[in-house]
Amino acid sequence: MFSYCTDPSTLEGLTWLSCYLTTGKHLSFYASFVTVLVLLAITAPTALLFGFGGATAARSRIAPLRWFGKGYTAIVRGVPDIAFFLFFVIALDQAFEYLRHKVKCPDWEEPIRQGNDFIVCQAAKLPLSTAPQWVHETYGFLLAVLTFAIVFGAFAANVLYGAMNAVPHAQMETAEAYGMSHRQAFWRIMVPQMWVYALPGLSNLWMVLIKATPLLFLLGVEDIVYWARELGGTVNPRFTDYPHGDWRLYYFTFLLIFYLGFTRVSEIVLERLMKKLTHGQATTGGEAQRKAAA
Amino acid sequence: MKKLILATSALALTAGFAAADVVRMGTEGAYAPWNFVNDKGEIDGFERELGDELCKRAELECEWVKNDWDSIIPNLVSGNYDTIIAGMSITDERDEVIDFTQPYTPPDPSAYVAMDPDVDLENAVIAAQAATIQAAFIAEQGWTLVEFATPEETVAAVRNGEADAVLADKSYLDTVVGTDGLVMLERTEAIGGGVGMGLRESDGELRAKFDAAIQSMKDDGSLNELIAKWEVSSQW
């Protein structure tokens, strides 16, 4: 990186450190922080959307939709995350490729499953094996987002289902007495009021999601924990210009601070959000706000 | 003008054909000197150099992919990459699931590293990387085994006293012996059948290409040179 870094063995102290911390390997480490943050930024709203869909389905008056919603939350919540992540991503990928194979190569004669192998025609590969590495990485990343969204969506669905039920029934009855249709009452009365009941559960989920990102490496996405372990491990002078002993403690301490800082910031934001949502609600929190103002 | 169009389309076509030959090479990137991530953040080591040379000889375009050791076989058979080149010993158990090329390093004994040179292995706690021949060997002996996901962690376990010894490929342990008082034991275990490249069972054509390339490197002595350069095993 810096011009004085050409021969690290002659460097000492801070200059050595400045060179060490700017190697290509470290830059990948810093980039993985961005990966994790982007993943969270995309996954959280997607999971919430899945959760909302699941909760609405579970409350539906149409029986098959209700079964689907209840089945989704029950199955996904019951299966261990790690099993989901190992099995699901490969299965999902194969499902996509299978569909593309059926569309793109209709006159393919060989079976798709040959023993242990899963073989689709070249044109059905996802991404194409000719695609550059970054396409593969982005695809893996999107699979990761989808898997996270499905898993956390199920938990969010359960939280939102509870929150919808927690909205006082009298509110809905009043809405319908005013002549609102079922749909209008749902969107105008229930949805705006349910968030205050959902937020404690959702904020828990957010905290768990932040800490679940190391599961990313199972999906082939290199996250911050992977790089911390890789960089902190002992390196022999034969393979590096910057030999050092077992420094995992320092790297993991750094991660600890990062995660604690991140969760603390989240807590502050969520607390403010809670205050805002409580405003004017018929809950004890809302009542307290009203009294304080008066 | 017509000629120009014809020429460009021909070029585009051949480029398309050439690009169809991209072979994705899967490796672990945590097993120096076989494969590791260098300071630049790229995959480096004996297998990097070997793989690049094999691809050149087989006239293939190759791309390197890093994958966790635990899921390295499932990701191969489901087609996320086309070969495993990660210091994987050829065993009957693995051969049932995937196919191997001919070995590119001869079968070498595995070695132990411990803090205490007189450790009694039968009553000791021995560390090994999960899903390796070494882990299978210790389990077979009925000794106490602790498994770790990465090679680095197996050695760290011996350093901090969690395990009394670690069993791994000798070439890997050579890179750590002598640091922090780690010593190599006299005893070695003759397990494994050489290291080869893993491929899907249905990929016979690609396997034949790599087999031929390995053979040609064996014949002209360049494989031995590489082995000597990286000190990964005994020579052919």
Side-chain angles (χ1 to χ4, degrees):
Chain A
M1 188 94 177
F2 304 111
S3 54
Y4 54 81
C5 293
T6 39
D7 188 7
S9 55
T10 60
L11 299 174
E12 264 180 56
L14 279 179
T15 29
W16 184 88
L17 197 66
S18 71
C19 289
Y20 172 69
L21 289 177
T22 50
T23 55
K25 214 171 169 181
H26 274 87
L27 296 182
S28 310
F29 177 49
Y30 308 139
S32 64
F33 279 89
V34 180
T35 312
V36 167
L37 293 179
V38 171
L39 178 99
L40 289 172
I42 303 177
T43 308
T46 323
L48 198 58
L49 208 68
F50 275 53
F52 190 76
T56 337
R59 286 175 51 88
S60 170
R61 279 173 299 178
I62 308 158
L65 209 58
R66 195 167 58 234
W67 297 333
F68 170 77
K70 295 217 160 144
Y72 166 58
T73 49
I75 291 169
V76 178
R77 289 190 327 136
V79 176
D81 282 1
I82 193 152
F84 233 99
F85 278 90
L86 269 183
F87 158 79
F88 201 71
V89 178
I90 289 180
L92 207 63
D93 181 44
Q94 292 193 349
F96 288 151
E97 289 190 347
Y98 179 80
L99 291 177
R100 277 167 62 92
H101 178 84
K102 285 283 165 209
V103 175
K104 298 210 167 192
C105 310
D107 25 80
W108 182 269
E109 273 164 17
E110 288 166 53
I112 290 182
R113 290 223 164 266
Q114 299 179 15
N116 294 303
D117 299 2
F118 177 84
I119 301 149
V120 292
C121 62
Q122 281 295 325
K125 280 252 177 220
L126 203 66
L128 297 174
S129 60
T130 53
Q133 180 62 17
W134 70 266
V135 177
H136 284 272
E137 276 166 19
T138 315
Y139 176 70
F141 181 80
L142 291 178
L143 273 185
V145 168
L146 189 58
T147 315
F148 267 110
I150 289 173
V151 171
F152 282 86
F155 288 94
N158 204 44
V159 170
L160 291 178
Y161 181 78
M164 287 176 185
N165 285 343
V167 174
H169 201 64
Q171 298 267 347
M172 296 299 284
E173 281 172 358
T174 314
E176 283 178 25
Y178 271 96
M180 288 190 198
S181 69
H182 209 76
R183 178 184 296 246
Q184 280 173 329
F186 175 75
W187 285 107
R188 294 182 189 177
I189 305 299
M190 182 174 283
V191 173
Q193 291 194 74
M194 73 176 188
W195 296 111
V196 71
Y197 301 105
L199 198 64
L202 291 180
S203 64
N204 268 347
L205 270 184
W206 168 249
M207 295 294 184
V208 177
L209 179 64
I210 291 176
K211 296 180 297 172
T213 49
L215 285 171
L216 276 178
F217 192 57
L218 289 177
L219 313 178
V221 179
E222 283 148 12
D223 83 308
I224 48 183
V225 177
Y226 164 77
W227 279 113
R229 204 172 55 189
E230 172 72 34
L231 287 163
T234 315
V235 264
N236 188 287
R238 257 174 77 199
F239 310 115
T240 175
D241 292 333
Y242 305 91
H244 61 74
D246 191 347
W247 283 5
R248 285 181 300 174
L249 184 64
Y250 307 121
Y251 280 92
F252 280 108
T253 310
F254 177 64
L255 283 194
L256 180 87
I257 295 166
F258 168 74
Y259 275 121
L260 279 179
F262 196 25
T263 44
R264 182 75 198 114
V265 171
S266 307
E267 266 178 13
I268 293 169
V269 171
L270 288 166
E271 214 166 285
R272 285 205 184 151
L273 194 63
M274 190 66 192
K275 237 181 223 160
K276 201 156 192 168
L277 285 175
T278 319
H279 188 74
Q281 292 281 352
T283 58
T284 39
E287 193 62 27
Q289 273 187 3
R290 233 183 332 268
K291 277 188 184 145
Chain B
M1 190 63 201
K2 221 178 201 173
K3 251 187 197 157
L4 196 70
I5 293 171
L6 214 66
T8 30
S9 57
L11 203 71
L13 261 177
T14 44
F17 283 139
D21 271 336
V22 175
V23 174
R24 292 168 53 79
M25 316 270 272
T27 193
E28 185 193 12
Y31 203 54
W34 295 82
N35 55 75
F36 60 95
V37 180
N38 66 14
D39 288 336
K40 287 191 202 121
E42 293 161 353
I43 293 162
D44 202 343
F46 167 69
E47 285 173 322
R48 172 71 204 249
E49 224 173 296
L50 172 74
D52 284 345
E53 178 64 26
L54 290 176
C55 289
K56 207 168 89 192
R57 290 186 186 218
E59 294 178 355
L60 299 165
E61 203 183 308
C62 291
E63 198 161 44
W64 289 86
V65 187
K66 229 182 303 168
N67 200 92
D68 201 20
W69 177 258
D70 276 343
S71 59
I72 206 162
I73 290 181
N75 273 314
L76 173 77
V77 293
S78 83
N80 290 348
Y81 37 80
D82 306 304
T83 70
I84 296 174
I85 173 161
M88 189 178 270
S89 300
I90 301 169
T91 64
D92 293 339
E93 225 180 355
R94 289 177 183 145
D95 214 1
E96 277 172 25
V97 187
I98 57 175
D99 264 356
F100 284 99
T101 60
Q102 59 166 310
Y104 46 77
T105 63
D108 263 358
S110 298
Y112 295 94
V113 155
M115 297 296 264
D116 166 22
D118 306 314
V119 63
D120 171 23
L121 291 171
E122 276 161 51
N123 298 310
V125 177
I126 304 173
Q129 188 180 8
T132 58
I133 49 171
Q134 287 86 11
F137 172 80
I138 297 166
E140 232 167 72
Q141 304 297 309
W143 300 346
T144 313
L145 166 70
V146 277
E147 291 181 293
F148 294 92
T150 62
E152 163 78 22
E153 286 166 305
T154 60
V155 178
V158 177
R159 271 202 200 97
N160 64 28
E162 201 179 328
D164 300 311
V166 47
L167 177 63
D169 287 335
K170 190 169 172 296
S171 56
Y172 174 72
L173 293 177
D174 276 337
T175 67
V176 297
V177 90
T179 59
D180 305 325
L182 291 170
V183 287
M184 194 169 283
L185 305 188
E186 298 267 318
R187 176 171 178 166
T188 55
E189 309 292 350
I191 45 179
V195 171
M197 255 166 106
L199 293 107
R200 279 184 294 274
E201 291 191 321
S202 52
D203 246 358
E205 208 178 309
L206 189 63
R207 194 179 75 145
K209 277 185 194 168
F210 277 118
D211 252 343
I214 293 171
Q215 192 57 50
S216 87
M217 285 188 74
K218 275 183 184 169
D219 292 343
D220 67 12
S222 54
L223 186 55
N224 276 340
E225 274 169 38
L226 262 191
I227 291 175
K229 177 183 167 190
W230 289 100
E231 300 173 20
V232 287
S233 69
S234 54
Q235 303 194 4
W236 291 100

